[in-house]
Amino acid sequence: MEKQEPPPPIVLDPTLVHEPVTTTRPNQRIDPWWALVAAIVGTIIFLATTIPDPYRRILVFVQDGIGVSLMVTVVSFVIVLVGGLVGGLGRLSKNWLIHGIATLYVEIIRGIPALVQLFFWYFSFPSIVQGLGQVLNIPALQNYLANPVGMAILGLSFCYSAYMSEVYRAGIQSIAKGQMEAARSLGMNYVQSMRYVILPQAVRVILPPVGNEFISLLKDSSLVSVVAVADLTRRGREFMSSTFTPVETWTMIALLYLTLTLFSARIVTWIERKTRMER
Amino acid sequence: MEPIIHIENVEKHFTGVHALKGVSLDILKGEVVVIIGPSGSGKSTLLRCINRLEEYDKGQIVVDGISLNNAANINAVRTEVGMVFQSFNLFPHLSVKDNIMLAQRVVRKRDRAEAEKVTQELLIKVGIPEKANAFPSQLSGGQQQRVAIARALAMNPKIMLFDEPTSALDPEMIQEVLDVMLDLAREGMTMVVVSHEMGFARAAAHRAILMDGGLIVEEAPPDILFSKPTQERTRAFLSKVL
């Protein structure tokens, strides 16, 4: 999305009556909620240095899990941003077939728990592919084995794109009808109007719910621990079962997730401020 | 002379409303036509049919030789037909300059330098060159509407449609918009204006048309229509607005 340059200072014409002009954005000061992020990180450091056994050991043990969780989340989210746009435009399509397919997708996917969907992609989907390979006698399909990380990303993306479709749809619908009419009346086609007029405005509107989806996805990425992905949650479980320190382990895991989610929330707020539009 | 806009027996239904009941109208090149009528009379609907922002159900409209019955033609027609809306509909995320430049770049495929030159000239024409870098929310209603006119003119349209261009304006800002429209009329632009600004109609329009109930009730040069209407409905309407 194109970044909006801050408007340059406006020379006020005193003979004209209009609303006061603000040339500075409100809230340029530092977001105070960064303090909460700092407090959580501080707690982690404090625990790891004062009680290294087990807190420091937990940190060392699960550190690669943090990377896996983040990777699964970020890759899925990028797919979700595209998939949601496609789904959202489909939901708004005047073509009954496209509209129907998009609506069916959203309704069905929203109605099935994410965990069940992950099980389907990891356990059922490979079986179906293998069965198909046998029927069609294609050895490559018969020997198909699911890649845990791949299936986890596919499952999360497929699931979250449905929610994101609704976010995009609501965002696009929130833009006044006159905007599309003005764009079309200038001779721009549907795609051009969407790209240059509607979406840049809609994206600003949907930033808060999109940020929400990201944080939600980050937390739900813990579900992939049940399909053999060594994410933060799974590493935590492994540490706990080998050391029998449930309180310390899950406290530390919770603090680590909190760090990631609170940090993400601050980033979203920061982007919101950067792209705020004078209305 | 071949009319630049040919409207023939156009009908339009909204759910439960028969908005246009067979309207026929020919508009010549360079002609300025003002359409008046009570709300719900179909005047805005007719105007919006001319660039197919509304699809009509029956009849046909031909603009500059291109039939609007074929949906494939609509972008070709829209490039030649500028439209100004009651609520301005400027793009709030773009500066004044970018509002005017966008379609020039995307549709007319002008390079940046040329589009900027056209934009600057048009801003001078509508009297607010100093607002090029302002955002729409920082302008008064009258200024916004003048930018909207400049934005439409940037496409070098052959026809300009105005849908109640001054209805959303504070009274003291109406004249600045009408002045820009008067200039355009003097330059020979073909204009179809839905408006109750009788002063503008008298000064600039070749023809005034009264619509009611989805039909054209009466048409005549504005002076004659306003002073000696032949239809009872025209008299009744004029007595309320004059």
Side-chain angles (χ1 to χ4, degrees), chain A residues 4 16 179 181 184 196, chain B residues 48 78 90 93 135 143:
Chain A
Q4 189 188 333
L16 289 170
Q179 291 289 308
E181 290 185 347
R184 299 305 301 270
Y196 296 109
Chain B
R48 291 160 59 84
R78 284 174 179 161
L90 292 181
H93 61 300
F135 279 78
Q143 290 171 333

Side-chain angles (χ1 to χ4, degrees), chain B residues 80-92:
Chain B
E80 307 302 327
V81 180
M83 181 145 190
V84 175
F85 300 85
Q86 179 178 356
S87 49
F88 328 137
N89 295 348
L90 292 181
F91 307 136

Side-chain angles (χ1 to χ4, degrees), chain A residues 186-188 192, chain B residues 75-81 101-111 114-115 152-158:
Chain A
L186 288 163
M188 284 193 255
Q192 291 167 337
Chain B
N75 286 328
V77 168
R78 284 174 179 161
T79 338
E80 307 302 327
V81 180
M101 281 181 55
L102 179 61
Q104 296 187 63
R105 303 268 289 143
V106 173
V107 180
R108 286 281 189 220
K109 308 284 182 203
R110 289 179 187 151
D111 62 38
E114 191 192 351
L153 289 176
M155 303 299 287
N156 300 111
K158 294 176 177 156

